Amino acid sequence: MDNQPFIEFRHVSKFYGRGEATIRALDHVNLAISKGEFVSIMGPSGSGKSTAMNIVGGLDVPSSGEYLFQGIPTANFTRTQLTLLRRHMLGFVFQGFNLLARTSAIENVELPLVYRGLPARERRKLAQQALEQVGLQGRESHTTQELSGGQQQRVAIARAIVTDPAVLLADEPTGNLDTKTSREIMDLISRLNRERNITVIMVTHEEDIAAYGRRLLRFVDGRLASDESHVREARHVP
């Protein structure tokens, strides 16, 4: 069991449309990701990288083939079971932050815990801890409009990790940020991967951002074109 992939695709294909209008978003993709890996995914528009991410996140399902999570085939999962998978095992970070406007940072971070039904006092404590982990202590009461882009993304990351997920799915997490802030966000994600052993799967179109991962998957025309491992030079992260 220890050698079993944490996340696995077996001949996964995804089709949209019918007949001559059929779009093959994924074409018999095989891949395996181990617990604690940091995997970057790249590819041109329409290559299938976002479709693969959506399937891993339980937001979409394969047309054929198998997607296994911790060795369990997800094909027969009900909508409720997929929701529970997302709620208890996965954290999501998006390019657009997706924070609630005119709502404080700590209230944004508490939101996933509300869905879990945790008491208010416990929610507040866990949200406070998550904000401290991303370096936003003292900003708890600030609303979205009062935070910079980098701070908003830190709130989004705190919201993603407050449930202690096994997997962090990051879709273009630095797409709306300047170079300096992008590095800070990527250093933060790298630290969470190392210190908390969170499996990170990140979609990006930027080579320098992809280099933060220790493995790079490249998609082309719905297929996994290459699977490269590399070691990034260690950096000091405060």
Side-chain angles (χ1 to χ4, degrees):
M1 291 290 290
D2 290 342
N3 295 324
Q4 182 173 268
F6 196 60
I7 290 169
E8 185 176 9
F9 279 15
R10 295 179 181 174
H11 304 288
V12 167
S13 294
K14 181 65 183 181
F15 311 116
Y16 296 102
R18 294 183 179 181
E20 294 183 0
T22 298
I23 297 174
R24 188 185 293 262
L26 290 178
D27 188 4
H28 291 88
V29 173
N30 292 289
L31 65 85
I33 297 172
S34 300
K35 172 67 176 171
E37 280 199 271
F38 188 152
V39 178
S40 301
I41 300 178
M42 297 191 74
S45 178
S47 63
K49 61 185 185 298
S50 293
T51 301
M53 175 79 86
N54 287 340
I55 290 175
V56 172
L59 302 172
D60 208 343
V61 295
S63 300
S64 63
E66 284 189 304
Y67 163 39
L68 295 87
F69 188 89
Q70 291 186 299
I72 302 172
T74 61
N76 295 322
F77 279 18
T78 64
R79 287 187 178 182
T80 298
Q81 288 172 318
L82 285 173
T83 298
L84 291 174
L85 173 67
R86 292 192 296 270
R87 186 175 297 172
H88 292 276
M89 301 297 292
L90 309 176
F92 296 86
V93 179
F94 300 99
Q95 176 178 348
F97 313 144
N98 291 354
L99 301 177
L100 298 177
R102 297 183 296 280
T103 302
S104 69
I106 199 164
E107 289 170 332
N108 269 287
V109 176
E110 284 184 44
L111 192 58
L113 304 176
V114 173
Y115 294 143
R116 282 194 178 187
L118 268 63
R121 182 175 295 179
E122 185 175 357
R123 293 199 308 264
R124 186 53 54 103
K125 177 182 177 182
L126 292 173
Q128 178 73 48
Q129 291 173 349
L131 286 169
E132 289 176 0
Q133 286 183 307
V134 301
L136 283 182
Q137 54 269 45
R139 298 287 194 277
E140 296 87 351
S141 62
H142 286 55
T143 64
T144 301
Q145 293 92 329
E146 296 171 325
L147 299 172
S148 68
Q151 290 171 334
Q152 289 182 53
Q153 191 63 298
R154 286 175 181 267
V155 173
I157 292 171
R159 182 183 58 191
I161 66 171
V162 73
T163 58
D164 195 22
V167 181
L168 181 66
L169 299 172
D171 191 357
E172 301 282 5
T174 62
N176 286 332
L177 305 176
D178 60 52
T179 301
K180 179 178 181 294
T181 307
S182 294
R183 291 197 195 100
E184 293 172 352
I185 292 299
M186 290 312 305
D187 285 342
L188 171 59
I189 291 175
S190 296
R191 177 165 58 81
L192 292 169
N193 168 249
R194 292 194 310 272
E195 296 180 358
R196 295 182 55 168
N197 200 36
I198 295 176
T199 304
V200 177
I201 303 175
M202 176 182 67
V203 166
T204 181
H205 67 278
E206 300 174 81
E207 292 280 354
D208 60 327
I209 297 299
Y212 278 83
R214 294 190 296 275
R215 184 175 168 197
L216 175 60
L217 307 180
R218 293 185 186 272
F219 280 78
V220 178
D221 295 332
R223 297 191 176 191
L224 182 57
S226 66
D227 184 345
E228 311 160 11
S229 295
H230 64 273
V231 179
R232 180 179 174 85
E233 183 180 348
R235 300 179 60 184
H236 173 67
V237 181

